Amino acid sequence: RCNSSTCKSLNCRKMKSYLKHVDTCQVKASGGCKICKRIWTLLRIHAQQCKSSSCPIPQCNAIRKRIRQLQQKQQAMDDRRRQEMNRHYRMGKMS
């Protein structure tokens, strides 16, 4: 992550302005701000692929944690569904 306030890269300056926008936006992604939605999508894509425990990208660790929670919740639902199907299958064989 670039910390220079006078960075020459146009992409870097643009990304910094988008991240600043996310911090100051009154509408937010949930309210329909297209810039915020785009940035959150980029952050989510980054977080899904990032392996660093000390990532400097804003919200990376929080997004990764939320992704893991959702995956665990989905896994638990799948396990319950599988157990229920197995129980019905065994009950059908016993009759």
Side-chain angles (χ1 to χ4, degrees), residues 1-2 8 13 17 21-22 24-25 29 32 36 39 43 47 49 60 63 66-67 69 71-72 82 84 88 95:
R1 176 177 166 151
C2 175
K8 302 284 187 231
R13 286 190 311 229
S17 73
H21 168 86
V22 170
T24 59
C25 182
C36 289
I39 294 300
L43 291 173
Q49 298 173 356
C60 180
I63 295 169
R66 181 68 178 142
I67 290 170
Q69 288 172 341
Q71 287 172 337
Q72 289 171 345
R82 200 171 8 267
E84 191 62 22
H88 282 293
S95 311

Side-chain angles (χ1 to χ4, degrees), residues 83-93:
Q83 287 172 346
E84 191 62 22
M85 290 179 74
N86 286 339
R87 188 178 71 77
H88 282 293
Y89 179 73
R90 282 191 298 263
M91 295 293 277
K93 280 199 161 194

Side-chain angles (χ1 to χ4, degrees), residues 42-57 59-61 63-65 67-68:
L42 288 173
L43 291 173
R44 192 170 51 250
I45 290 168
H46 166 83
Q48 287 172 329
Q49 298 173 356
C50 182
K51 303 292 185 225
S52 173
S53 60
S54 59
C55 182
I57 301 298
Q59 299 296 321
C60 180
N61 290 330
I63 295 169
R64 273 203 324 254
K65 182 179 178 182
I67 290 170
R68 276 194 305 274

